[in-house]
Amino acid sequence: MNEYPAKLNTGYYRVRTDWNDDASQLGAYKLLANAKAKCDENPGSYVFAEDGTVIYPADEPTTREENVEEKPVTDIPEEDKPSDDTPGDGEEDFPSAEPQPDAVAFGKLKTLMNIRKEPSLEAEVVTVYPMNTIVEVLEVCDNWLKIKCPEAEDGIAYVLNEDDAYVFVGRDVYEVVAGDNLWRIAERKLGSGTHYTDIRELNGLTSNAIRIGMKLLLP
């Protein structure tokens, strides 16, 4: 059996129930471990390589008629049986996921935005976030913000914010509760009610009206 890399640089591992049925696809992944996990969640599905070869699970479906003569099973003494815990030749270790770094700021999108794999307009679009989406900012990279992104393979992606044109950025997020108004929030969180205008400006509000459950960036 061919050996398949833990991470593809080109192409995808595809999870489908039938290679010839594109509509049966459940996902496409660069990481083999993620493809296997998706397959495990969906009994009856398989992980296919780019050429349509089933590489997981072991009980793969046959794609052509095969006449295979059954061979008798030879008993192996207990002490000579390979341990399930011992990795075989060619197997790779998969390190545990590392915790994401803490956010240094928070952002609210001013408009619909493409979220990209790398800080470049030529980079692959991981997902699209609608206006007013709150994101956790990990780092400011020139005209781009490095953000936490659950949709990305490694949990990190980038959003363009050239000249602060696309994202409001603040140091914290506050969720509005019953009895709140901008003055009271500014007084409690910023030390003076007169800072309510800072909150308005930072969140792109055109009036003092706010709603319970609304998330506001704090300067």
Side-chain angles (χ1 to χ4, degrees):
M1 179 179 292
N2 293 333
E3 293 184 4
Y4 295 92
K7 182 175 182 179
L8 294 175
N9 293 322
T10 60
Y12 294 91
Y13 293 117
R14 302 179 187 278
V15 181
R16 299 182 179 179
T17 56
D18 184 348
W19 175 252
N20 296 317
D21 182 6
D22 293 347
S24 71
Q25 183 162 301
L26 302 172
Y29 303 87
K30 293 288 188 183
L31 296 180
L32 180 56
N34 289 349
K36 288 182 176 182
K38 187 67 174 182
C39 184
D40 292 339
E41 293 173 3
N42 296 271
S45 65
Y46 300 88
V47 178
F48 293 87
E50 280 288 287
D51 61 359
T53 301
V54 175
I55 61 177
Y56 183 83
D59 56 339
E60 61 185 69
T62 56
T63 55
R64 61 186 183 277
E65 292 185 0
E66 296 178 351
N67 295 320
V68 181
E69 181 181 357
E70 291 188 4
K71 297 181 180 180
V73 177
T74 303
D75 291 333
I76 303 175
E78 190 67 30
E79 62 272 13
D80 294 332
K81 290 183 179 179
S83 171
D84 291 338
D85 296 331
T86 303
D89 293 339
E91 291 186 1
E92 298 187 34
D93 292 331
F94 292 95
S96 300
E98 297 181 358
Q100 293 284 2
D102 292 334
V104 298
F106 295 86
K108 178 185 285 188
L109 304 191
K110 300 180 183 181
T111 183
L112 183 78
M113 290 296 294
N114 287 329
I115 308 301
R116 298 184 181 272
K117 188 174 182 178
E118 300 292 341
S120 168
L121 291 175
E122 304 301 321
E124 173 187 345
V125 175
V126 176
T127 187
V128 179
Y129 283 166
M131 178 181 178
N132 291 330
T133 299
I134 298 286
V135 294
E136 294 184 61
V137 179
L138 301 175
E139 185 180 350
V140 178
C141 308
D142 294 326
N143 291 325
W144 294 80
L145 300 178
K146 182 179 182 180
I147 65 172
K148 289 187 179 181
C149 176
E151 293 85 357
E153 289 180 2
D154 57 1
I156 293 174
Y158 295 83
V159 61
L160 180 65
N161 195 32
E162 187 174 9
D163 298 326
D164 300 324
Y166 306 111
V167 188
F168 297 108
V169 179
R171 65 173 178 81
D172 205 351
V173 177
Y174 177 80
E175 185 169 342
V176 178
V177 299
D180 274 342
N181 60 42
L182 288 180
W183 182 279
R184 290 173 182 169
I185 295 171
E187 190 173 46
R188 188 164 65 254
K189 293 294 182 179
L190 305 180
S192 172
T194 59
H195 291 304
Y196 79 94
T197 54
D198 297 334
I199 298 177
R200 272 187 53 172
E201 181 179 351
L202 181 58
N203 289 272
L205 301 178
T206 56
S207 72
N208 294 332
I210 54 177
R211 304 181 307 277
I212 295 174
M214 185 179 190
K215 291 183 178 180
L216 298 172
L217 294 180
L218 297 179

